[in-house]
Structures are given as structure tokens and as C-alpha cells.
Amino acid sequence: MYSTHYMDLLMQNSPWNLILFMAIPVILAETIAITELFLLKSPNAHPTLSKVNRTAGILAGFAFFGIIIYFIPNVIIPLASAGEFRTWIDVVAIFSYILAGIPMILLALLNLKLLFRKVVEQKKTTYAILLLAAFLVLSHIAMIFGMVDPGIAGYKPKAKAVSEVQPPAHHMDSMHEGHHYHH
């Protein structure tokens, strides 16, 4: 079984990449979703709930802005220029993850009152819900495809040079001790 670059990235530098690229964005998005549900049911809910929702929305936007700024030069460009995407599965996982950041950045701009400034509050709530929904769909596509084995789409790692595959000579001698091979 092979893994996508998305999954490799999450597993590298454990646990920091998992925290930065998965836990923080997901916790912020879930905070936004949960508080938004309460605010929809009771628009005049406790003001702290609205502040938590707004703050999580702004932080999620900043987090994804940073993630996108990191991903483009450090992941996407090197993989694309070297032709190393592990089939279309890898491409879907990585690009849907990056695309998921766009609605979060827009949500942050909405919460900072830099987007749709002259729109009535109810319309802003609708936009916020649509942006959150877009994020959830795209991020789940990224997670699902990120966990798919790219081998099912024909991925096979490039063959290594013979010198990379063979163990050092002293290991070969010990491996052959006591074993008789017939040619």
C-alpha cells in the first residue's frame, strides 16, 4: 500500500505537521460550525458565542492563508515541476485541501468586515454558512482522497538504483551463513 503526499506530509515531523495542517484548522472549523448552529437557532444567544464564532472564523482564515503560502512553494511547485504527483488521487487530495482554504480566508474577510460590508446581517450569515459548507466539502474530499492508496490508480514508486537496494556487503555475508543456494 502506498500513501499520498498529503498523508506523508501529515505523518512527517510528528506530531507537529498533524497539529498545524489538520488539528488546528479542523478544530477552528468545527468551532465555527457548532457556534453557527447555536446562533442560527437563537440569533440573540449569549454575545460570547458570537465572539467565539467570529474569532474562530478570523483565526481559521489566517491559518489557511499561512498553509497556502507554505504549500505552494514547498509542496505543489516541487511535486508539479518534478512530475511526482502519485496519480490523480494525489492531485485531488492536495488541491482540494488548498482550495478548502479559500472559503476560510473569505470567511475571515467577512468577519473582519472587509468583504460584503454593505450587505444586511442576514445575508452575511447566509454567506458565512455557504463558505463554511464549501470548506467542509473540500476539506473532506482532501481527507478522503488523502487516505486512498494511489496504487489503485496505477501508482508505483520509481525503481531505485541497484546500489540503493542492496544491503551493505557485511550484511550479505551474515545473511548467507548457514544457507546453501543452488543455481
Side-chain angles (χ1 to χ4, degrees), residues 98-167:
I98 292 301
L99 289 174
I102 295 170
M104 281 309 205
I105 293 168
L106 294 173
L107 185 61
L109 294 173
L110 185 68
N111 281 312
L112 289 167
K113 299 178 185 347
L114 298 172
L115 187 66
F116 302 122
R117 283 188 265 176
K118 297 181 184 194
V119 175
V120 294
E121 203 57 39
Q122 187 173 356
K123 200 84 151 158
K124 283 183 184 178
T125 300
T126 301
Y127 291 147
I129 292 167
L130 290 172
L131 290 168
L132 181 60
F135 166 78
L136 290 171
V137 169
L138 289 166
S139 65
H140 281 87
I141 290 170
M143 284 187 251
I144 291 165
F145 280 87
M147 290 185 267
V148 172
D149 176 0
I152 67 170
Y155 169 74
K156 289 186 181 10
K158 293 178 183 171
K160 294 183 178 187
V162 175
S163 62
E164 294 177 50
V165 176
Q166 291 180 341

Side-chain angles (χ1 to χ4, degrees), residues 34-119:
I34 292 165
T35 55
E36 197 65 55
L37 288 171
F38 280 108
L39 292 169
L40 282 173
K41 186 176 179 335
S42 305
N44 298 324
H46 198 280
T48 303
L49 197 58
S50 183
K51 286 179 185 174
V52 168
N53 178 280
R54 184 171 184 269
T55 303
I58 293 168
L59 291 174
F62 280 114
F64 267 102
F65 182 76
I67 288 168
I68 291 170
I69 295 300
Y70 172 81
F71 254 70
I72 291 172
N74 294 300
V75 177
I76 293 175
I77 292 174
L79 289 176
S81 62
E84 292 188 4
F85 281 110
R86 297 173 183 158
T87 74
W88 63 271
I89 292 169
D90 207 16
V91 173
V92 170
I94 290 173
F95 278 93
S96 58
Y97 180 70
I98 292 301
L99 289 174
I102 295 170
M104 281 309 205
I105 293 168
L106 294 173
L107 185 61
L109 294 173
L110 185 68
N111 281 312
L112 289 167
K113 299 178 185 347
L114 298 172
L115 187 66
F116 302 122
R117 283 188 265 176
K118 297 181 184 194
V119 175

